[in-house]
Amino acid sequence: MNYGFFRVASASLKLKVADPEYNASEIKKVIDEALTEQVRLLVTPELSITGYTCADLFFTRSLLDASSRAVNDLAQYTRDKNIFVVVGAPLEYQGKLYNCAFVLRSGEVVKIIPKQNLANYNEFYEKRWFATMDDEVYFTEYECYMNPNSLVCLDEKNKIMLGIELCEDLWVPNPPSSNHCLEGANIIANLSASDEYVSKAEYRRSLVANQSARCICSYVYAGASVHESTTDLVFSGATMVAENGAILAEGERFSRESVITIADIDIEKLNTLRQKNMSFESNYTDYGITFEYCVQNENNDLKYRFVDPHPFVPADDEKRRERCKEIFAIQASGLAKRIEHVGSKGVVVGISGGLDSTLALLVSVEAMKLLGRDNSDILGITMPGFGTTDRTHDNAVELMKSLGVESKEISIKDACIQHMKDIEHDESIKDITYENTQARERTQILFDMANKHGKLLVGTGDLSELAMGWCTYNGDHMSMYGVNASVPKTLVRYLVEYVADISDKKTASILYDILDTPVSPELLPPDENGKIAQKTEENIGPYELHDFFLYNFVRFGFTKEKLAVLALKAFDGRYCENEINHWLEVFIKRFFISQFKRSCIPDSPKVGSVSLSPRGDWRMPSDASFNIFI
């Protein structure tokens, strides 16, 4: 299966200005290369048949006739080839010239798209040669229509629709691609001849990325190469493919050979995002869509697609620090507002010496700073139980001391033993009752202490735990405000590390040791060496896998099969296929059966594109069957 992926390519060409026959031969070479890589859509630059810089030669009969012959030659070349090719050429109609994109497929010209916005300022003089057209015109020579608003169906089954604009169309306040996408296009091709000067490349790149984000589409950009005339301008052959705000692939500029830039775009992902965004209402019939030329989109090996194994965590160090800084500010600002609104005397936080409670404490400290209050308004409570190790206990105590918060230690052992006697549970049986007794006892203490001191109880549970149901219902599942509830486990670590990096030496030392501690609820007794015996990931699986599944399932609704294929690509041998399939099934089952816990979680600040809040991003029946998902 292709799982909704579609392979596209943009090309800059080694061409000769005003030599359509030569240029067509170079385009054929690029077509052959694209077919070797199973590309299904190839986009070439603006006026790629003639060259963009022909100037007044566009008025010569010889050039126009040669251009027409080259277009027909290339159309014939696509016969029996499983690819759409988009080329640029001038077109004469009723005494006027039009700068057009020609869509070629199966030996024919499928559609002709004229440029809508002619550049006619600074170095550009396009209105000297070309006209604009708003109407639809039928061309007998090519047996197809010319229409600036026409879309082309590339794959009917997977709902892949192509819209086309040419160079300047992208740079105007209302690009045609915006309307194309509102009418159903999910791929935009731009045939361009954008010249180079200092800093323009980055601006062009941002235009392409931003338009793909605004339109929730893929944007395939092909720019004129260095082989254009250099009378006054130099072109670089910029090629790139963007998808929903991200540049998937970008070719080398200033190359003296033809460059082909290939990417696998995810149409299913784009279509799912549009289904969630009601600004997009498709109306294909208004644009005269035809289906007889659809390509066969075979299995896709994802050769030309990077799949991020950690979608919540930027790989670049600087970007990751900036992300952590922003998330930390969102968390602290949300908590500060809630404290201010309810008139709380401060906050209560249960401190275990683990990552989640550490982050909640750090956020609380930052919230006090925002409110101009002292850290002593924070009451940190450590509650050692049957599974507490010396390492986590000491880190909890030392961290509270280092941060200057009020601290208190309350052992839960005696209370839990008494409670198990009350409910007639044998404390030697280390089952779910044994574990949850501790979790609920801790929550009771925290709520009661919050009431006693007139403070707000801050929750510590994170997004990954909510997704997996790894929290005790009405135990650590509950609080008065959950600062970590939309922060995934893979990102919690980096948030703590971010604070450690900017903290004083003593605090940093404690935080780094917490970062080095295995993830555990510490509800079962330590091993014979006094070390953590209960390790979460040994029970429910690697959090990096579950966060990967969570992101792609909630955000895009992918099937189990597609999630597995993406995970194999993303983790590249770190997990075998059987491991991925096993933990994926665990994820799906736990995610579905745990919805009832998420239906009543406390308020929490949204920090990213994936949230499981029942009041906003994720509304799911608590009793939905998972059978069709596994």
Side-chain angles (χ1 to χ4, degrees), residues 367-429:
M368 292 303 157
K369 180 180 176 181
L370 293 176
L371 293 170
R373 294 168 64 166
D374 193 83
N375 287 352
S376 59
D377 286 347
I378 301 170
L379 173 58
I381 305 176
T382 183
M383 296 163 285
F386 303 125
T388 303
T389 60
D390 290 342
R391 181 180 186 180
T392 54
H393 171 269
D394 293 347
N395 278 336
V397 171
E398 290 302 313
L399 181 62
M400 289 187 286
K401 187 185 300 183
S402 179
L403 293 173
V405 307
E406 182 183 355
S407 63
K408 191 169 186 63
E409 181 171 320
I410 303 174
S411 173
I412 63 169
K413 293 178 182 177
D414 291 343
C416 288
I417 290 171
Q418 180 61 50
H419 179 67
M420 283 187 276
K421 286 180 181 178
D422 293 342
I423 65 172
E424 299 179 343
H425 180 78
D426 186 345
E427 66 180 273
S428 66
I429 300 174

Side-chain angles (χ1 to χ4, degrees), residues 489-545:
K489 186 73 78 176
T490 47
L491 191 55
V492 169
R493 176 173 302 277
Y494 289 104
L495 282 161
V496 173
E497 183 181 67
Y498 159 75
V499 179
D501 290 343
I502 59 175
S503 296
D504 62 84
K505 188 174 180 180
K506 181 181 178 181
T507 302
S509 175
I510 300 167
L511 293 176
Y512 290 135
D513 193 65
I514 291 171
L515 285 164
D516 197 42
T517 304
V519 177
S520 172
E522 292 195 316
L523 297 173
L524 296 178
D527 63 20
E528 62 275 11
N529 298 314
K531 295 185 178 180
I532 294 172
Q534 186 183 19
K535 297 178 182 177
T536 300
E537 291 181 295
E538 291 179 358
N539 187 306
I540 62 172
Y543 270 120
E544 65 173 355
L545 271 181

